[in-house]
Amino acid sequence: MMSGGNAAPPEQEYPGGLKTDLTLALPGGAETPKPPAKRGFSDTADLKLGCSCEDEASAVTQPPPPKAQVVGWPPVRSYRKNMMMKIGKFVKVAVDGAPYLRKVDLELYTSYQELLAALEAMFACLTICNVVNERKIMDSTNGKEEYVPTYEDKDGDWMLVGDVPWKMFVESCKRLRLMKSSEAVGLAPKSTSSKGSSTK
Amino acid sequence: MDPDQSEDSPSNSANSHGPTQPQSPFPDEVLEKVLSFIDSRKDRSSVSLVRKDWYNAERWTRSKLFIGNCYSVSPEIVARRFPRIKSVTLKGKPRFSDFNMLPRDWGANVHSWLVMFAKVYPFLEELRLKRMTVTDESLELLAKSFPRFKALTLSSCDGFSDNGLKAIASHCRNLTELDIQDSVTDDVGGGWLSCFPENFASLEVLNFSSLNCEVSFDDLERLVGRCKSLRVLKVNDSITLDQLRRLLVHAPQLMELGTGSFMQELTPRQYEDIESAFSNCRNLQVLSGLWEATSLYLPVLYGACASLTFLNLSDVALQSSEFAKLLVHCPNLRRLWVIDTVEDKGLEALGSSCPLLEELRVFPSDPYDRHHRDGVTELGFLAVSRGCRKLRYVLYFCRRMTNAAVVTIVQNCPDFTHFRLCIMTPGQPDYLTNEPMDEAFAAVVKTCTKLKRLSVSGLLTDLTFEYIGKYAKNLETLSVAFAGSSDWGMQCVLEGCPKLRKLEIRDCPFGNAALLSGREKYEMMRSLWMSSCNVTMKGCRLLAREMPRLNVEVIKDEGNDDGQADRVYVYRSVAGPRRDAPPFVLTL
């Protein structure tokens, strides 16, 4: 569940969580925050897909609400924060044949490899064509079906995931769709040269 | 410094000694000539204390003024003592203002200084300002008052806009340096750049990388083309990669380059062109910017990296692999700033590729822990310390650390002069042993005898401060947050560190007893900052009463208990209490 946002969260939910300025107690008193527990994702009530391929990585889509912030801590300058302050870019992920959608925060990942690995973990019963490296991974469970990752961009066009530099993709991606490869005609993978000349 | 002495002129000094002081063995002119070769502030200060004629000779020959706290002295006092100043450095707000811990309009406005300088130093050539408020009106005054003005640096300043910069560009005919660092202003248009006259060609340094504006590229290109002595050019992210290429073609002699945006789709031809433009920059020592650079385009830089000594990657979140590949081309790196997305793996590559490294700053990509990214850990720091034995400056943001790691790190690199470790979760212990991090900082102060600056973090008891007081004999700046157990900790530092100049403390259990224990010490320091500690108004008033040469200023938080002194700023001053304090600053 997502919190309302601004109320100070109960301290025990957040590793090393800090009491902020909502109390009248003297600051910096004898209380030291508890040592942080090994960081894990809190359980979230999320949609379960019909298939039995759910796993723990489902929590990836709904990270715990952010900790309450202390003014001026950590000591980073405001202009640096501009790249760090983003709350995340959540996009819906549809999988052909599955009745429910999932959501992923694209800002959790720094490359296509990471995103595809997360999607594979999320939909563990599928295997996803790794179009970026042009490796095709055969699906082990049903032996035949492969899924091609596609996305809808800002202009409303459906594109193959992997063509443009990662950051450009994050900025322009509106939603993702894992298409059965038998349906992914007309979206032939483009050759990616090391010089990055995106042939259009 | 005694203001009364400043009335003397050099020709009188020899006669103003009583019979007890021997006549100077050489005439004042000779003394002045000799002293004119002395640049160091500390030496000049020592010289001025020898005897009266030396004091006078020194003040007549000083041309560079450094004022570390603009409120420690007044423009009038300065003007009376030093008649011939050509270069001024002025610093204003306390450092914690960088982190939004001071309300707006706190002060440090440069205007009254400029008014005085316009009267007394018409031949002023250089002005370097840090954490000052600089309005357009001030910039206009500056532009029109000093015909020989050459160099302006605005570091972490605020208050100005396009109009002020337009005045500088239009009127400063002899400008060689316009350096705007970390000064983010909201509504700066880009029209100022087009105000440099068509025949203006003297620029050597141009830095507008932190300004959020769009300049006319054509005007920029023409400007760069005619300034043949340009050695530093740092543009902002409105400049594209291809535009950068054109600038580099005009200025292959650049020694410092801040690129614009590095994200652009290039044709193969464009790629080759920019690659070759970079390869032609054979003098490049400093590189920064690189907004949104990716593994696709970083390789265009490789040809320019052989002589790089300072690489500032703090504006681009690289991954370990592309970072490692870039470093292979930078064997001469002395300074590196980077974001923690490179992770420990990237820092291992750094340890292998850059043995000459002296300074490392690792900034957090996720300071508020929203994305639960790992960033860097003690392992990355260890790896760097093994490969880069000459490390002397480190700023390291991380989420976990161990005492053992820090002990090993300082054994590997005992020459640290600046050790700033920020374990981002307040009060976090050694993640393996669950112990406080006292032993880590004990090792730092015991091993690194040259240590001048220290920032501590993690779970710390008074023991850390006992060690600091006992061993950190060269420490000048100490930053403390969420640490300590009692007044005793702060007292140890105040009693122990003989060279302490700046002490900044937040969210620590230090109270009035600790504050008052340093009363004499504060006169030998530049300043003390304490916020969200246990200090009360009563304690601050007592300090102010006992030490008239200190300014004790309190900013209270709204709605808080009347007795608490939420933010306390104490500094020595010969100028008396501030006359420009806003209503929320209480001078006691």
Side-chain angles (χ1 to χ4, degrees):
Chain A
M1 92 198 128
M2 300 295 246
S3 86
N6 290 333
E11 196 175 314
Q12 54 271 25
E13 273 189 30
Y14 301 93
L18 185 72
K19 279 220 171 79
T20 58
D21 47 0
L22 297 181
T23 77
L24 289 180
L26 292 177
E31 320 160 86
T32 48
K34 299 204 293 286
K38 191 167 169 205
R39 200 188 297 129
F41 297 112
S42 55
D43 256 358
T44 55
D46 54 355
L47 301 168
K48 307 263 184 233
L49 287 192
C51 74
S52 56
C53 53
E54 273 306 323
D55 65 352
E56 305 78 41
S58 65
V60 157
T61 58
Q62 300 207 14
K67 290 182 226 173
Q69 286 177 37
V70 180
V71 173
W73 189 264
V76 281
R77 296 208 195 187
S78 3
Y79 71 87
R80 286 195 194 286
K81 282 190 212 155
N82 293 336
M83 84 165 65
M84 305 159 190
M85 280 282 278
K86 289 174 203 160
I87 300 175
K89 182 173 174 164
F90 286 88
V91 298
K92 292 181 188 169
V93 185
V95 178
D96 285 359
Y100 295 104
L101 302 178
R102 302 300 306 272
K103 258 196 170 172
V104 287
D105 176 2
L106 292 182
E107 300 222 334
L108 285 182
Y109 314 108
T110 57
S111 69
Y112 286 115
Q113 281 83 351
E114 281 184 17
L115 170 65
L116 295 178
L119 290 177
E120 277 200 357
M122 200 183 299
F123 303 102
C125 53
L126 318 169
T127 52
I128 300 171
C129 272
N130 194 330
V131 194
V132 176
N133 289 341
E134 299 196 84
R135 267 184 310 122
K136 284 185 196 271
I137 311 158
M138 288 308 297
D139 179 19
S140 48
T141 54
N142 67 20
K144 282 189 206 156
E145 197 62 78
E146 289 168 8
Y147 288 80
V148 173
T150 66
Y151 71 103
E152 186 183 3
D153 73 0
K154 275 200 263 218
D155 303 322
D157 298 320
W158 282 92
M159 317 284 291
L160 211 55
V161 165
D163 276 356
V164 300
W166 169 255
K167 295 244 173 65
M168 215 183 268
F169 162 75
V170 171
E171 208 194 327
S172 61
C173 172
K174 283 192 349 201
R175 53 185 155 144
L176 289 162
R177 177 180 164 198
L178 303 183
M179 277 178 117
K180 292 185 182 167
S181 59
S182 52
E183 293 195 20
V185 287
L187 288 175
K190 304 217 158 72
S191 60
T192 50
S193 78
S194 64
K195 290 240 167 171
S197 55
S198 45
T199 53
K200 293 271 181 210
Chain B
M1 172 167 76
D2 181 355
D4 293 337
Q5 284 182 328
S6 59
E7 304 309 323
D8 293 348
S9 73
S11 53
N12 287 340
S13 60
N15 301 330
S16 54
H17 299 303
T20 48
Q21 281 217 337
Q23 189 82 352
S24 179
F26 34 75
D28 291 328
E29 296 80 27
V30 173
L31 184 57
E32 281 184 25
K33 184 71 183 173
V34 169
L35 293 185
S36 66
F37 291 109
I38 298 183
D39 275 335
S40 144
R41 310 197 296 265
K42 289 201 174 110
D43 288 346
R44 282 192 160 269
S45 190
S46 308
V47 159
S48 71
L49 295 172
V50 171
R51 35 190 274 168
K52 204 153 187 180
D53 54 350
W54 285 50
Y55 175 90
N56 282 315
E58 192 281 311
R59 74 182 187 90
W60 277 90
T61 56
R62 190 183 295 213
S63 63
K64 277 194 184 159
L65 200 58
F66 174 88
I67 299 170
N69 173 5
C70 64
Y71 288 118
S72 64
V73 70
S74 72
E76 292 76 25
I77 293 172
V78 164
R80 249 183 292 148
R81 180 175 173 184
F82 297 110
R84 291 191 196 152
I85 296 296
K86 286 203 210 150
S87 162
V88 176
T89 300
L90 250 184
K91 298 188 184 180
K93 301 176 201 172
R95 194 179 73 98
F96 277 3
S97 69
D98 286 349
F99 316 125
N100 302 326
M101 291 175 74
L102 270 193
R104 288 194 67 168
D105 307 323
W106 177 85
N109 192 312
V110 76
H111 200 75
S112 58
W113 289 93
L114 283 174
V115 167
M116 180 57 74
F117 294 158
K119 257 196 328 209
V120 178
Y121 307 137
F123 300 123
L124 190 69
E125 293 178 5
E126 291 180 7
L127 187 62
R128 318 263 183 213
L129 302 177
K130 186 165 186 179
R131 294 196 192 98
M132 304 268 318
T133 293
V134 184
T135 58
D136 287 340
E137 196 194 342
S138 297
L139 288 177
E140 279 155 19
L141 179 62
L142 173 65
K144 295 184 182 156
S145 307
F146 307 104
R148 292 197 199 161
F149 193 75
K150 288 197 192 145
L152 178 63
T153 301
L154 300 175
S155 173
S156 302
C157 294
D158 66 325
F160 59 95
S161 78
D162 199 18
N163 290 329
L165 295 178
K166 277 182 178 163
I168 300 288
S170 312
H171 299 287
C172 298
R173 302 283 146 148
N174 297 307
L175 200 68
T176 57
E177 295 183 28
L178 179 58
D179 190 354
I180 304 171
Q181 300 170 8
D182 305 336
S183 298
V184 183
T185 50
D186 287 322
D187 272 322
V188 184
W192 58 274
L193 187 115
S194 306
C195 290
F196 286 109
E198 279 302 318
N199 61 354
F200 170 78
S202 49
L203 221 48
E204 295 170 26
V205 173
L206 178 63
N207 175 7
F208 62 95
S209 53
S210 65
L211 292 185
N212 198 2
C213 65
E214 281 212 31
V215 298
S216 152
F217 177 71
D218 286 341
D219 290 341
L220 176 62
E221 189 177 17
R222 274 199 293 270
L223 178 66
V224 170
R226 26 175 221 276
C227 295
K228 300 297 180 197
S229 305
L230 196 66
R231 55 187 165 81
V232 175
L233 176 64
K234 297 181 185 175
V235 301
N236 67 11
D237 61 358
S238 73
I239 302 297
T240 68
L241 205 44
D242 198 58
Q243 288 175 332
L244 182 71
R245 180 193 61 80
R246 287 161 64 175
L247 296 176
L248 291 181
V249 165
H250 288 294
Q253 77 282 4
L254 283 178
M255 294 174 64
E256 297 189 22
L257 173 66
T259 74
S261 168
F262 235 69
M263 180 168 80
Q264 182 181 351
E265 284 181 34
L266 299 178
T267 65
R269 180 62 204 273
Q270 280 176 313
Y271 188 101
E272 272 171 31
D273 284 346
I274 184 140
E275 208 177 16
S276 104
F278 269 106
S279 301
N280 282 336
C281 294
R282 300 183 195 288
N283 298 324
L284 217 53
Q285 292 178 7
V286 176
L287 184 61
S288 60
L290 303 170
W291 283 282
E292 295 169 316
T294 63
S295 51
L296 255 32
Y297 297 130
L298 278 175
V300 305
L301 293 173
Y302 292 171
C305 293
S307 44
L308 267 193
T309 57
F310 178 20
L311 181 56
N312 179 355
L313 298 172
S314 64
D315 287 312
V316 54
L318 295 184
Q319 303 167 66
S320 56
S321 48
E322 54 206 4
F323 175 60
K325 286 190 195 135
L326 175 58
L327 288 180
V328 165
H329 299 267
C330 309
N332 289 310
L333 224 49
R334 303 282 196 280
R335 303 172 64 195
L336 174 71
W337 295 13
V338 74
I339 299 183
D340 68 359
T341 45
V342 301
E343 295 182 344
D344 289 335
K345 202 153 164 242
L347 296 183
E348 279 164 33
L350 177 63
S352 324
S353 303
C354 304
L356 302 177
L357 199 71
E358 295 172 12
E359 173 178 329
L360 173 65
R361 303 194 196 196
V362 182
F363 297 98
S365 60
D366 185 19
Y368 309 112
D369 205 14
R370 292 214 173 103
H371 302 283
H372 302 293
R373 285 204 254 262
D374 284 330
V376 294
T377 71
E378 79 280 7
L379 299 173
F381 200 170
L382 273 164
V384 176
S385 76
R386 276 192 289 266
C388 309
R389 298 295 171 124
K390 297 192 176 183
L391 215 50
R392 39 153 218 91
Y393 190 122
V394 78
L395 169 63
Y396 201 81
F397 284 86
C398 57
R399 295 224 134 79
R400 70 176 212 211
M401 189 51 61
T402 67
N403 287 307
V406 176
V407 169
T408 306
I409 286 161
V410 294
Q411 275 166 4
N412 291 338
C413 304
D415 295 330
F416 274 116
T417 55
H418 298 67
F419 193 93
R420 304 165 63 189
L421 177 61
C422 183
I423 304 168
M424 286 187 273
T425 307
Q428 183 169 306
D430 177 321
Y431 87 97
L432 283 180
T433 65
N434 253 347
E435 304 267 293
M437 295 295 297
D438 296 332
E439 291 312 309
F441 293 104
V444 172
V445 293
K446 280 184 200 166
T447 316
C448 306
T449 53
K450 301 181 208 160
L451 197 70
K452 292 199 300 190
R453 182 172 180 183
L454 179 64
S455 301
V456 299
S457 59
L459 179 64
L460 301 175
T461 70
D462 282 344
L463 209 51
T464 292
F465 302 102
E466 279 184 39
Y467 286 128
I468 293 174
K470 188 166 175 200
Y471 292 102
K473 292 309 175 190
N474 284 315
L475 193 65
E476 296 179 16
T477 305
L478 178 64
S479 308
V480 186
F482 305 103
S485 331
S486 74
D487 282 342
W488 172 241
M490 185 171 162
Q491 281 171 268
C492 287
V493 170
L494 290 168
E495 278 158 36
C497 300
K499 295 197 184 169
L500 195 64
R501 291 187 306 116
K502 288 179 276 189
L503 181 55
E504 25 178 60
I505 302 174
R506 62 164 294 171
D507 292 276
C508 296
F510 304 140
N512 293 335
L515 174 70
L516 290 162
S517 73
R519 40 166 111 52
E520 273 108 28
K521 182 96 171 182
Y522 305 139
E523 280 194 1
M524 297 191 295
M525 289 169 53
R526 183 180 296 174
S527 65
L528 165 74
W529 168 281
M530 280 180 86
S531 57
S532 303
C533 296
N534 289 349
V535 172
T536 68
M537 293 299 291
K538 201 164 161 198
C540 293
R541 288 204 181 94
L542 192 55
L543 179 64
R545 208 166 38 235
E546 289 185 13
M547 309 297 300
R549 284 186 298 212
L550 295 179
N551 281 358
V552 179
E553 296 174 5
V554 175
I555 301 172
K556 289 186 64 52
D557 289 344
E558 282 176 42
N560 262 12
D561 171 17
D562 269 329
Q564 283 304 106
D566 305 301
R567 281 172 274 182
V568 181
Y569 185 43
V570 178
Y571 57 93
R572 65 181 176 186
S573 177
V574 293
R578 282 176 63 178
R579 271 167 284 168
D580 65 348
F584 55 80
V585 174
L586 309 167
T587 305
L588 303 178

